[in-house]
Coordinates of all heavy atoms in Angstrom, one line a residue:
M16 N 5.6 26.3 8.4 CA 4.9 25.0 8.2 C 5.2 24.5 6.8 O 5.2 25.3 5.8 CB 3.4 25.3 8.3 CG 2.5 24.0 8.3 SD 0.8 24.4 8.5 CE 0.7 24.8 10.3
T17 N 5.5 23.3 6.7 CA 5.9 22.7 5.3 C 4.7 22.4 4.5 O 3.6 22.4 5.0 CB 6.7 21.4 5.5 OG1 5.8 20.4 6.1 CG2 7.9 21.5 6.4
L18 N 4.9 22.3 3.3 CA 3.8 22.0 2.3 C 3.1 20.7 2.7 O 1.8 20.7 2.8 CB 4.3 21.9 0.9 CG 3.2 21.7 -0.2 CD1 2.2 22.8 -0.1 CD2 3.8 21.6 -1.6
P19 N 3.8 19.6 3.0 CA 3.0 18.4 3.5 C 2.2 18.6 4.7 O 1.1 18.1 4.8 CB 4.2 17.3 3.7 CG 5.3 17.8 2.8 CD 5.2 19.3 2.8
E20 N 2.8 19.4 5.6 CA 2.0 19.7 6.8 C 0.7 20.5 6.5 O -0.4 20.3 7.1 CB 2.9 20.5 7.8 CG 3.9 19.7 8.6 CD 4.9 20.5 9.4 OE1 5.0 21.7 9.0 OE2 5.5 19.9 10.2
R21 N 0.8 21.5 5.6 CA -0.3 22.2 5.2 C -1.3 21.3 4.4 O -2.6 21.4 4.7 CB 0.1 23.4 4.2 CG 0.7 24.6 4.9 CD 1.2 25.6 3.9 NE 1.7 26.7 4.5 CZ 1.0 27.8 4.9 NH1 -0.3 27.9 4.6 NH2 1.6 28.8 5.5
L22 N -0.9 20.4 3.6 CA -1.8 19.6 2.9 C -2.5 18.7 3.8 O -3.6 18.2 3.6 CB -1.0 18.7 1.8 CG -0.5 19.5 0.7 CD1 0.5 18.7 -0.2 CD2 -1.6 20.1 -0.1
G23 N -1.9 18.3 5.0 CA -2.5 17.5 6.0 C -3.7 18.2 6.6 O -4.5 17.5 7.2
L24 N -3.8 19.5 6.4 CA -4.9 20.3 7.1 C -6.0 20.4 6.1 O -7.1 21.0 6.5 CB -4.4 21.6 7.4 CG -3.3 21.6 8.5 CD1 -2.7 23.0 8.8 CD2 -3.9 21.1 9.8
V25 N -5.9 19.9 4.9 CA -7.0 20.1 3.9 C -8.2 19.2 4.4 O -7.9 18.1 4.7 CB -6.6 19.7 2.5 CG1 -7.8 19.6 1.5 CG2 -5.5 20.6 2.0
S26 N -9.4 19.8 4.4 CA -10.5 18.9 4.8 C -11.6 19.3 3.7 O -11.5 20.2 3.0 CB -10.9 19.1 6.2 OG -11.3 20.5 6.3
Y27 N -12.7 18.6 3.8 CA -13.7 18.6 2.8 C -15.0 18.9 3.5 O -15.4 18.3 4.5 CB -13.9 17.4 2.0 CG -12.7 17.2 1.1 CD1 -11.5 16.6 1.6 CD2 -12.7 17.6 -0.2 CE1 -10.4 16.5 0.7 CE2 -11.6 17.5 -1.1 CZ -10.4 16.9 -0.6 OH -9.4 16.7 -1.4
R28 N -15.8 19.9 3.0 CA -17.1 20.1 3.6 C -17.9 18.9 3.4 O -18.0 18.3 2.4 CB -17.8 21.4 2.9 CG -17.2 22.7 3.3 CD -18.0 23.8 2.6 NE -17.7 23.8 1.2 CZ -16.8 24.5 0.6 NH1 -16.0 25.2 1.4 NH2 -16.6 24.6 -0.7
N29 N -18.7 18.6 4.5 CA -19.7 17.6 4.5 C -19.2 16.2 4.2 O -20.0 15.3 3.8 CB -20.8 17.9 3.5 CG -21.6 19.1 3.9 OD1 -21.9 19.3 5.0 ND2 -21.8 20.0 2.9
Q30 N -17.9 16.0 4.4 CA -17.4 14.6 4.2 C -16.0 14.5 4.9 O -15.3 15.4 4.8 CB -17.4 14.1 2.8 CG -16.4 14.9 1.9 CD -16.5 14.5 0.5 OE1 -16.9 13.4 0.2 NE2 -16.2 15.4 -0.4
A31 N -15.8 13.3 5.4 CA -14.4 13.1 5.9 C -13.5 12.6 4.7 O -14.1 12.0 3.8 CB -14.5 12.0 7.0
K32 N -12.3 12.7 5.0 CA -11.4 12.2 3.9 C -11.6 10.7 3.6 O -11.5 10.2 2.5 CB -9.9 12.4 4.3 CG -9.3 13.7 3.7 CD -7.8 13.7 4.0 CE -7.3 15.0 3.5 NZ -5.8 15.1 3.8
S33 N -11.9 10.0 4.6 CA -12.1 8.5 4.5 C -13.4 8.1 3.7 O -13.5 7.1 3.2 CB -12.1 7.8 5.9 OG -13.1 8.4 6.6
E34 N -14.3 9.1 3.6 CA -15.6 8.9 2.9 C -15.7 9.7 1.7 O -16.8 10.0 1.3 CB -16.7 9.1 3.9 CG -16.8 8.4 5.1 CD -17.7 9.0 6.2 OE1 -18.2 10.1 6.0 OE2 -17.8 8.3 7.2
I35 N -14.5 10.2 1.2 CA -14.6 11.1 0.2 C -15.3 10.7 -1.1 O -15.2 9.5 -1.5 CB -13.1 11.5 -0.1 CG1 -13.0 12.9 -0.9 CG2 -12.4 10.4 -0.9 CD1 -11.7 13.4 -1.0
K36 N -16.1 11.6 -1.7 CA -16.7 11.3 -2.9 C -15.9 12.1 -3.9 O -15.9 13.3 -3.9 CB -18.1 11.8 -2.9 CG -19.1 10.9 -2.2 CD -20.5 11.4 -2.5 CE -21.5 10.5 -1.8 NZ -22.9 11.0 -2.1
P37 N -15.1 11.5 -4.8 CA -14.2 12.2 -5.6 C -14.8 13.2 -6.5 O -15.8 12.9 -7.1 CB -13.5 11.1 -6.3 CG -13.9 9.8 -5.8 CD -15.1 10.1 -5.0
H38 N -14.3 14.4 -6.7 CA -14.8 15.4 -7.6 C -13.9 15.3 -8.9 O -14.3 15.9 -9.9 CB -14.6 16.9 -7.0 CG -13.3 17.1 -6.5 ND1 -12.7 16.6 -5.3 CD2 -12.3 17.9 -7.0 CE1 -11.5 17.1 -5.1 NE2 -11.2 17.8 -6.1
I39 N -12.8 14.6 -8.8 CA -12.1 14.3 -10.0 C -12.0 12.8 -10.3 O -11.7 12.1 -9.4 CB -10.6 14.8 -9.8 CG1 -10.5 16.3 -9.6 CG2 -9.8 14.5 -11.1 CD1 -9.1 16.9 -9.4
K40 N -12.2 12.5 -11.5 CA -12.0 11.0 -11.9 C -11.0 11.0 -13.0 O -10.9 11.9 -13.9 CB -13.3 10.4 -12.4 CG -14.3 10.3 -11.2 CD -15.5 9.5 -11.5 CE -16.4 9.4 -10.2 NZ -17.8 9.3 -10.5
V41 N -10.1 10.1 -12.9 CA -9.0 10.0 -13.9 C -9.0 8.6 -14.4 O -9.0 7.5 -13.7 CB -7.6 10.2 -13.2 CG1 -6.5 10.1 -14.2 CG2 -7.6 11.6 -12.6
D42 N -9.1 8.5 -15.8 CA -9.0 7.2 -16.4 C -7.6 6.8 -16.6 O -6.9 7.2 -17.6 CB -9.7 7.4 -17.8 CG -9.9 6.1 -18.5 OD1 -9.1 5.1 -18.1 OD2 -10.6 5.9 -19.6
T43 N -7.1 6.1 -15.6 CA -5.7 5.8 -15.6 C -5.3 4.8 -16.8 O -4.2 4.6 -17.0 CB -5.2 5.3 -14.2 OG1 -6.0 4.2 -13.8 CG2 -5.1 6.4 -13.2
D44 N -6.3 4.2 -17.3 CA -6.0 3.3 -18.5 C -5.4 4.2 -19.7 O -4.5 3.7 -20.3 CB -7.3 2.6 -19.0 CG -7.8 1.5 -18.1 OD1 -6.9 1.1 -17.3 OD2 -8.9 1.1 -18.3
I45 N -5.9 5.4 -19.8 CA -5.3 6.3 -20.8 C -3.9 6.7 -20.4 O -3.0 6.7 -21.2 CB -6.3 7.5 -20.9 CG1 -7.6 7.2 -21.5 CG2 -5.5 8.6 -21.9 CD1 -8.6 8.3 -21.6
C46 N -3.8 7.0 -19.1 CA -2.5 7.4 -18.6 C -1.4 6.3 -18.9 O -0.3 6.7 -19.2 CB -2.5 7.5 -17.0 SG -3.7 8.7 -16.4
N47 N -1.8 5.1 -18.7 CA -0.8 4.0 -18.8 C -0.9 3.3 -20.1 O -0.3 2.2 -20.3 CB -1.1 3.1 -17.7 CG -0.7 3.7 -16.3 OD1 0.3 4.2 -16.2 ND2 -1.7 3.7 -15.4
S48 N -1.5 3.9 -21.1 CA -1.5 3.3 -22.5 C -1.0 4.3 -23.5 O 0.1 4.2 -24.1 CB -2.9 2.8 -22.8 OG -3.8 3.7 -22.8
T49 N -1.8 5.3 -23.8 CA -1.5 6.3 -24.9 C -0.8 7.5 -24.5 O -0.4 8.3 -25.4 CB -2.7 6.5 -25.7 OG1 -3.8 7.0 -24.8 CG2 -3.2 5.2 -26.4
C50 N -0.9 7.9 -23.2 CA -0.4 9.2 -22.8 C 1.2 9.2 -23.0 O 1.9 8.4 -22.5 CB -0.7 9.6 -21.4 SG 0.0 11.1 -20.9
P51 N 1.7 10.3 -23.8 CA 3.1 10.3 -24.1 C 4.0 11.0 -23.1 O 5.2 10.9 -23.2 CB 3.1 11.0 -25.5 CG 2.0 11.9 -25.5 CD 0.9 11.2 -24.7
H52 N 3.4 11.8 -22.3 CA 4.2 12.7 -21.4 C 4.0 12.6 -19.9 O 4.8 13.0 -19.1 CB 4.0 14.1 -21.9 CG 2.6 14.5 -22.1 ND1 1.7 14.5 -21.0 CD2 1.9 14.9 -23.2 CE1 0.5 14.9 -21.5 NE2 0.6 15.1 -22.8
H53 N 2.8 12.1 -19.5 CA 2.5 12.0 -18.0 C 2.7 13.4 -17.3 O 3.2 13.4 -16.2 CB 3.4 11.0 -17.4 CG 3.2 9.6 -17.9 ND1 4.0 8.5 -17.7 CD2 2.1 9.1 -18.6 CE1 3.5 7.5 -18.3 NE2 2.4 7.8 -18.9
C54 N 2.3 14.5 -18.0 CA 2.6 15.8 -17.4 C 1.9 16.1 -16.1 O 2.5 16.8 -15.3 CB 2.3 16.8 -18.4 SG 0.5 17.1 -18.6
T55 N 0.8 15.4 -15.8 CA 0.2 15.8 -14.5 C 1.0 15.3 -13.3 O 0.8 15.7 -12.2 CB -1.2 15.2 -14.5 OG1 -1.2 13.9 -14.9 CG2 -2.2 16.0 -15.3
T56 N 1.8 14.3 -13.6 CA 2.7 13.8 -12.4 C 3.7 14.8 -12.1 O 4.4 14.7 -11.1 CB 3.4 12.4 -12.8 OG1 4.2 12.6 -13.9 CG2 2.4 11.4 -13.1
Y57 N 3.9 15.8 -13.0 CA 4.9 16.9 -12.6 C 4.2 18.1 -12.1 O 4.8 18.9 -11.4 CB 5.7 17.3 -13.9 CG 6.4 16.0 -14.5 CD1 5.9 15.4 -15.6 CD2 7.6 15.5 -13.9 CE1 6.6 14.3 -16.2 CE2 8.3 14.5 -14.5 CZ 7.7 13.8 -15.6 OH 8.4 12.7 -16.1
V58 N 3.0 18.4 -12.6 CA 2.4 19.7 -12.3 C 1.5 19.8 -11.1 O 1.2 20.8 -10.6 CB 1.7 20.3 -13.5 CG1 2.7 20.5 -14.6 CG2 0.5 19.5 -14.0
C59 N 0.9 18.6 -10.6 CA 0.0 18.6 -9.5 C 0.8 19.0 -8.2 O 1.7 18.4 -7.8 CB -0.6 17.3 -9.3 SG -1.6 17.2 -7.8
P60 N 0.4 20.1 -7.5 CA 1.1 20.6 -6.4 C 0.9 19.7 -5.2 O 1.7 19.8 -4.2 CB 0.6 22.0 -6.2 CG -0.8 22.0 -6.8 CD -0.7 21.0 -7.9
A61 N -0.1 18.9 -5.2 CA -0.4 18.0 -4.1 C 0.0 16.6 -4.2 O -0.3 15.8 -3.4 CB -1.9 18.1 -3.8
N62 N 0.7 16.3 -5.3 CA 1.2 15.0 -5.6 C 0.1 13.9 -5.7 O 0.3 12.7 -5.2 CB 2.2 14.6 -4.5 CG 3.6 14.4 -5.0 OD1 3.9 14.6 -6.2 ND2 4.5 14.1 -4.0
C63 N -1.0 14.3 -6.3 CA -2.1 13.3 -6.4 C -1.8 12.4 -7.5 O -2.4 11.2 -7.6 CB -3.4 14.1 -6.6 SG -3.9 15.1 -5.3
Y64 N -1.0 12.8 -8.5 CA -0.6 11.9 -9.6 C 0.8 11.5 -9.4 O 1.7 12.3 -9.2 CB -0.6 12.6 -10.9 CG -2.0 13.1 -11.3 CD1 -2.5 14.3 -10.8 CD2 -2.7 12.4 -12.3 CE1 -3.8 14.8 -11.2 CE2 -4.0 12.9 -12.7 CZ -4.5 14.1 -12.2 OH -5.7 14.4 -12.6
T65 N 1.1 10.2 -9.3 CA 2.4 9.7 -9.0 C 2.8 8.6 -10.0 O 1.8 8.0 -10.6 CB 2.5 9.1 -7.6 OG1 1.5 8.2 -7.4 CG2 2.4 10.2 -6.5
K66 N 4.0 8.3 -10.1 CA 4.4 7.2 -11.0 C 5.2 6.2 -10.0 O 6.0 6.7 -9.2 CB 5.4 7.7 -12.0 CG 4.7 8.2 -13.2 CD 5.6 8.0 -14.5 CE 6.2 9.3 -15.0 NZ 6.8 9.2 -16.3
D67 N 4.9 5.0 -10.2 CA 5.6 3.9 -9.4 C 6.9 3.5 -10.1 O 7.3 4.1 -11.1 CB 4.7 2.7 -9.1 CG 4.3 1.9 -10.3 OD1 5.1 2.0 -11.3 OD2 3.3 1.2 -10.3
E68 N 7.6 2.6 -9.5 CA 8.9 2.2 -9.9 C 8.9 1.6 -11.3 O 10.0 1.5 -12.0 CB 9.5 1.3 -9.0 CG 8.9 -0.1 -8.7 CD 7.7 0.0 -7.7 OE1 7.4 1.1 -7.3 OE2 7.2 -1.1 -7.4
N69 N 7.7 1.2 -11.7 CA 7.6 0.6 -13.1 C 7.2 1.7 -14.1 O 6.8 1.3 -15.3 CB 6.6 -0.6 -13.1 CG 7.1 -1.7 -12.2 OD1 8.3 -2.0 -12.3 ND2 6.3 -2.2 -11.4
G70 N 7.0 2.9 -13.6 CA 6.5 4.0 -14.5 C 5.0 4.1 -14.7 O 4.5 4.8 -15.6
K71 N 4.3 3.3 -13.9 CA 2.8 3.3 -14.0 C 2.3 4.5 -13.2 O 2.7 4.8 -12.1 CB 2.3 2.0 -13.4 CG 0.9 1.7 -13.7 CD 0.4 0.3 -13.3 CE -1.1 0.2 -13.5 NZ -1.6 -1.0 -12.9
V72 N 1.3 5.2 -13.9 CA 0.7 6.3 -13.2 C -0.5 5.9 -12.3 O -1.3 5.1 -12.7 CB 0.2 7.3 -14.3 CG1 -0.6 8.5 -13.7 CG2 1.3 7.8 -15.2
H73 N -0.5 6.6 -11.2 CA -1.6 6.3 -10.2 C -2.2 7.6 -9.8 O -1.4 8.7 -9.7 CB -1.1 5.6 -8.9 CG -0.4 4.3 -9.2 ND1 -1.1 3.1 -9.2 CD2 0.9 4.0 -9.4 CE1 -0.3 2.1 -9.5 NE2 0.8 2.6 -9.7
F74 N -3.4 7.6 -9.5 CA -4.1 8.9 -9.0 C -4.8 8.7 -7.7 O -5.5 7.6 -7.6 CB -5.1 9.3 -10.1 CG -5.9 10.5 -9.6 CD1 -5.4 11.8 -9.6 CD2 -7.3 10.4 -9.2 CE1 -6.1 12.9 -9.1 CE2 -7.9 11.5 -8.7 CZ -7.4 12.7 -8.6
Q75 N -4.6 9.6 -6.8 CA -5.4 9.5 -5.6 C -6.0 10.9 -5.3 O -5.2 11.9 -5.4 CB -4.7 9.0 -4.4 CG -3.4 9.9 -4.1 CD -2.9 9.6 -2.7 OE1 -2.8 8.4 -2.2 NE2 -2.6 10.7 -2.0
V76 N -7.3 11.0 -5.0 CA -7.9 12.4 -4.9 C -7.6 13.0 -3.6 O -7.7 14.2 -3.5 CB -9.4 12.2 -5.2 CG1 -10.1 11.6 -4.0 CG2 -9.9 13.6 -5.6
E77 N -7.3 12.2 -2.6 CA -7.1 12.8 -1.2 C -5.9 13.8 -1.4 O -5.0 13.5 -2.0 CB -6.7 11.7 -0.2 CG -7.8 10.7 0.2 CD -8.0 9.6 -0.9 OE1 -7.2 9.5 -1.9 OE2 -8.8 8.7 -0.6
D78 N -6.0 14.9 -0.6 CA -5.0 15.9 -0.6 C -5.2 16.9 -1.8 O -4.6 18.0 -1.8 CB -3.6 15.4 -0.6 CG -3.1 14.8 0.6 OD1 -3.8 15.1 1.7 OD2 -2.2 14.0 0.7
C79 N -6.0 16.6 -2.8 CA -6.4 17.5 -3.8 C -6.8 18.8 -3.2 O -7.6 18.9 -2.4 CB -7.4 17.0 -4.8 SG -7.9 18.2 -6.0
I80 N -6.2 20.0 -3.7 CA -6.6 21.3 -3.3 C -7.5 22.0 -4.3 O -7.6 23.2 -4.2 CB -5.4 22.1 -2.9 CG1 -4.4 22.1 -4.0 CG2 -4.7 21.6 -1.6 CD1 -3.2 23.1 -3.8
E81 N -7.9 21.3 -5.3 CA -8.9 21.9 -6.3 C -8.2 23.0 -7.0 O -8.9 24.0 -7.3 CB -10.2 22.2 -5.6 CG -10.9 21.1 -5.1 CD -12.2 21.5 -4.4 OE1 -12.6 22.6 -4.5 OE2 -12.8 20.6 -3.7
C82 N -7.0 23.0 -7.3 CA -6.4 24.1 -8.0 C -6.8 24.1 -9.5 O -6.6 25.2 -10.1 CB -4.9 24.0 -7.9 SG -4.1 22.7 -8.8
G83 N -7.2 23.0 -10.0 CA -7.7 22.9 -11.4 C -6.6 22.7 -12.4 O -6.8 22.5 -13.7
T84 N -5.3 22.6 -12.0 CA -4.2 22.5 -12.9 C -4.3 21.2 -13.9 O -4.1 21.3 -15.0 CB -2.8 22.4 -12.2 OG1 -2.8 23.5 -11.4 CG2 -1.7 22.3 -13.2
C85 N -4.7 20.1 -13.3 CA -4.7 18.9 -14.0 C -5.7 18.9 -15.1 O -5.6 18.3 -16.2 CB -4.8 17.6 -13.1 SG -6.4 17.6 -12.1
M86 N -6.8 19.6 -14.8 CA -7.9 19.6 -15.8 C -7.5 20.3 -17.0 O -7.8 19.9 -18.2 CB -9.1 20.5 -15.2 CG -10.4 20.0 -15.5 SD -11.6 20.9 -14.6 CE -11.1 22.5 -14.6
Y87 N -6.6 21.3 -16.9 CA -6.1 22.1 -18.1 C -4.8 21.3 -18.7 O -4.5 21.4 -19.9 CB -5.7 23.5 -17.8 CG -7.1 24.2 -17.4 CD1 -7.4 24.4 -16.1 CD2 -7.9 24.6 -18.5 CE1 -8.6 25.1 -15.8 CE2 -9.1 25.2 -18.2 CZ -9.4 25.5 -16.8 OH -10.6 26.1 -16.6
A88 N -4.0 20.7 -17.8 CA -2.7 20.1 -18.2 C -3.0 18.8 -19.1 O -2.2 18.6 -19.9 CB -1.9 19.8 -17.0
C89 N -4.0 18.0 -18.7 CA -4.2 16.9 -19.3 C -4.8 17.0 -20.8 O -6.0 17.5 -20.8 CB -5.0 15.9 -18.6 SG -5.4 14.3 -19.5
D90 N -4.1 16.7 -21.8 CA -4.7 17.0 -23.1 C -5.0 15.5 -23.8 O -5.2 15.4 -25.0 CB -3.6 17.6 -24.0 CG -2.3 16.9 -24.1 OD1 -2.2 15.8 -23.4 OD2 -1.4 17.3 -24.8
Q91 N -5.2 14.6 -22.9 CA -5.5 13.2 -23.4 C -7.0 12.8 -23.1 O -7.3 11.6 -23.3 CB -4.6 12.2 -22.7 CG -3.1 12.6 -22.9 CD -2.6 12.5 -24.2 OE1 -2.9 11.4 -24.9 NE2 -2.0 13.5 -24.8
G92 N -7.7 13.7 -22.4 CA -9.1 13.3 -22.1 C -9.3 12.4 -21.0 O -10.4 11.7 -20.9
A93 N -8.3 12.3 -20.1 CA -8.4 11.3 -19.0 C -8.9 11.9 -17.7 O -9.4 11.1 -16.9 CB -7.0 10.8 -18.7
V94 N -9.1 13.2 -17.6 CA -9.5 13.8 -16.4 C -11.0 14.4 -16.6 O -11.3 15.1 -17.5 CB -8.6 15.0 -16.0 CG1 -9.0 15.7 -14.7 CG2 -7.2 14.5 -15.8
S95 N -11.8 14.0 -15.7 CA -13.2 14.6 -15.6 C -13.4 15.2 -14.2 O -12.9 14.6 -13.2 CB -14.2 13.6 -16.1 OG -14.2 12.5 -15.2
W96 N -14.2 16.1 -14.1 CA -14.4 16.9 -12.8 C -15.9 17.2 -12.7 O -16.5 17.8 -13.5 CB -13.6 18.2 -13.0 CG -13.6 19.1 -11.8 CD1 -14.6 19.5 -11.0 CD2 -12.4 19.5 -11.1 NE1 -14.2 20.3 -10.0 CE2 -12.8 20.3 -10.0 CE3 -11.1 19.4 -11.4 CZ2 -11.9 21.0 -9.2 CZ3 -10.2 20.1 -10.5 CH2 -10.6 20.9 -9.4
E97 N -16.4 16.7 -11.6 CA -17.8 17.0 -11.2 C -18.0 16.9 -9.7 O -17.6 15.9 -9.1 CB -18.7 15.9 -12.0 CG -20.2 16.2 -11.7 CD -21.0 15.1 -12.3 OE1 -20.5 14.2 -13.0 OE2 -22.2 15.3 -12.3
F98 N -18.5 18.0 -9.1 CA -18.7 17.9 -7.6 C -20.0 17.1 -7.4 O -21.1 17.4 -7.9 CB -18.9 19.3 -7.1 CG -17.5 20.0 -7.0 CD1 -17.3 21.1 -7.7 CD2 -16.6 19.6 -6.0 CE1 -16.0 21.8 -7.6 CE2 -15.5 20.3 -5.8 CZ -15.1 21.3 -6.7
P99 N -19.9 16.1 -6.6 CA -21.0 15.3 -6.2 C -21.9 16.1 -5.3 O -21.4 16.9 -4.4 CB -20.5 14.0 -5.6 CG -19.1 14.5 -5.1 CD -18.6 15.6 -6.0
D100 N -23.2 15.9 -5.3 CA -24.1 16.5 -4.3 C -24.0 18.0 -4.2 O -23.8 18.5 -3.1 CB -24.0 15.8 -3.0 CG -24.1 14.3 -3.1 OD1 -24.7 13.7 -3.9 OD2 -23.4 13.7 -2.2
P101 N -24.0 18.8 -5.3 CA -23.7 20.2 -5.1 C -24.7 20.9 -4.3 O -24.4 22.0 -3.6 CB -23.8 20.7 -6.6 CG -24.5 19.7 -7.3 CD -24.3 18.3 -6.6
E102 N -25.9 20.3 -4.1 CA -27.0 21.0 -3.3 C -26.7 21.0 -1.8 O -27.1 21.9 -1.1 CB -28.4 20.3 -3.6 CG -28.5 18.9 -3.0 CD -27.8 17.8 -3.8 OE1 -27.2 18.1 -4.9 OE2 -27.8 16.6 -3.4
I103 N -25.8 20.2 -1.4 CA -25.5 20.3 0.1 C -24.1 20.8 0.3 O -23.6 21.1 1.3 CB -25.5 18.9 0.8 CG1 -24.6 17.8 0.2 CG2 -26.9 18.3 0.7 CD1 -24.5 16.6 1.0
G104 N -23.4 21.1 -0.8 CA -22.1 21.8 -0.7 C -21.0 20.8 -0.4 O -21.0 20.2 0.7
R105 N -20.1 20.6 -1.2 CA -18.9 19.8 -1.0 C -17.7 20.7 -1.5 O -17.8 21.6 -2.3 CB -19.0 18.5 -1.7 CG -20.1 17.6 -1.0 CD -19.9 16.2 -1.5 NE -21.0 15.3 -1.1 CZ -20.9 14.7 0.0 NH1 -20.0 14.8 0.9 NH2 -22.0 13.9 0.4
G106 N -16.5 20.2 -1.2 CA -15.4 20.8 -1.7 C -14.4 21.1 -0.6 O -14.6 20.9 0.6
V107 N -13.2 21.6 -1.0 CA -12.1 21.8 -0.1 C -12.4 23.0 0.8 O -12.9 24.0 0.4 CB -10.8 22.0 -0.8 CG1 -9.7 22.7 0.0 CG2 -10.3 20.8 -1.4
T108 N -12.0 22.8 2.1 CA -12.0 24.0 3.0 C -10.6 24.0 3.6 O -10.0 22.9 3.9 CB -13.1 23.9 4.0 OG1 -13.0 24.9 4.9 CG2 -13.1 22.5 4.9
W109 N -10.1 25.2 3.9 CA -8.6 25.3 4.4 C -8.7 25.8 5.8 O -9.5 26.6 6.2 CB -7.9 26.3 3.6 CG -7.4 25.9 2.3 CD1 -6.3 25.2 2.0 CD2 -8.1 26.0 1.0 NE1 -6.2 24.9 0.6 CE2 -7.4 25.4 0.1 CE3 -9.4 26.5 0.7 CZ2 -7.7 25.3 -1.3 CZ3 -9.8 26.4 -0.7 CH2 -8.9 25.9 -1.6
N110 N -7.8 25.2 6.6 CA -7.8 25.7 8.1 C -7.0 27.0 8.1 O -7.3 27.8 9.0 CB -7.2 24.6 8.9 CG -8.1 23.4 9.2 OD1 -9.3 23.4 8.6 ND2 -7.7 22.6 10.0
F111 N -5.9 27.1 7.4 CA -5.0 28.2 7.5 C -4.9 29.0 6.1 O -3.7 29.3 5.8 CB -3.7 27.8 8.1 CG -3.8 27.3 9.5 CD1 -3.8 26.0 9.8 CD2 -4.0 28.2 10.5 CE1 -3.9 25.5 11.1 CE2 -4.1 27.7 11.9 CZ -4.1 26.3 12.1
G112 N -5.9 29.1 5.5 CA -5.8 29.9 4.2 C -5.1 29.2 3.1 O -4.7 28.1 3.2
Ligands
SF4_19 S1 -1.7 14.0 -18.7 FE1 -3.7 13.0 -18.6 S2 -3.4 11.0 -19.5 FE2 -1.4 11.8 -19.1 S3 -0.9 10.9 -17.1 FE3 -1.8 12.9 -16.7 S4 -3.9 12.6 -16.3 FE4 -3.1 10.8 -17.3
SF4_20 S1 -6.9 19.9 -9.0 FE1 -4.8 20.5 -8.6 S2 -4.4 19.5 -6.7 FE2 -6.2 18.6 -7.4 S3 -5.4 16.7 -8.5 FE3 -5.6 18.4 -10.0 S4 -3.5 19.4 -10.1 FE4 -3.7 18.1 -8.3

């Protein structure tokens, strides 16, 4: 099974992908103004951080596997992480480990 196929199996407890309440928020104004390296566009294994043809950084939380890499990689203060509604349990669940 390829990585994209595996990523397609990521689902979230208590929410559908289409109704996702993001656990990561990214201030892309910082990404696209003062960030000198855009390192999260290289290190995210799920390709949640991308650059378009104009070099502009975009973030989408869908497919995030909660590895935590971007939280440590971003040294610009653009990434914040908070699980919404912790009392009912949210977060990634894997179908095949
Ligand atoms: S390192 Fe931080 S500020 Fe730079 S592109 Fe990634 S998330 Fe944005
Ligand atoms: S936690 Fe991991 S998979 Fe999710 S956006 Fe950050 S680097 Fe990507």
Side-chain angles (χ1 to χ4, degrees):
M16 190 179 284
T17 64
L18 183 59
E20 286 170 339
R21 282 177 179 270
L22 289 171
L24 297 172
V25 173
S26 60
Y27 292 82
R28 282 186 288 273
N29 295 316
Q30 63 185 332
K32 263 189 185 178
S33 57
E34 302 162 352
I35 197 167
K36 286 191 181 179
H38 54 284
I39 298 177
K40 291 190 179 148
V41 180
D42 185 344
T43 50
D44 287 345
I45 296 175
C46 306
N47 292 308
S48 58
T49 53
C50 180
H52 47 63
H53 299 163
C54 69
T55 46
T56 64
Y57 303 102
V58 298
C59 173
N62 246 0
C63 296
Y64 296 82
T65 52
K66 277 208 251 192
D67 66 21
E68 63 278 6
N69 298 316
K71 189 173 177 187
V72 174
H73 301 271
F74 173 73
Q75 58 161 44
V76 74
E77 293 86 355
D78 292 336
C79 170
I80 52 173
E81 297 177 13
C82 69
T84 303
C85 60
M86 219 173 37
Y87 294 99
C89 177
D90 57 359
Q91 307 292 311
V94 178
S95 58
W96 185 305
E97 184 182 1
F98 282 110
D100 310 328
E102 68 284 358
I103 63 171
R105 291 191 188 272
V107 161
T108 177
W109 286 269
N110 286 2
F111 295 103

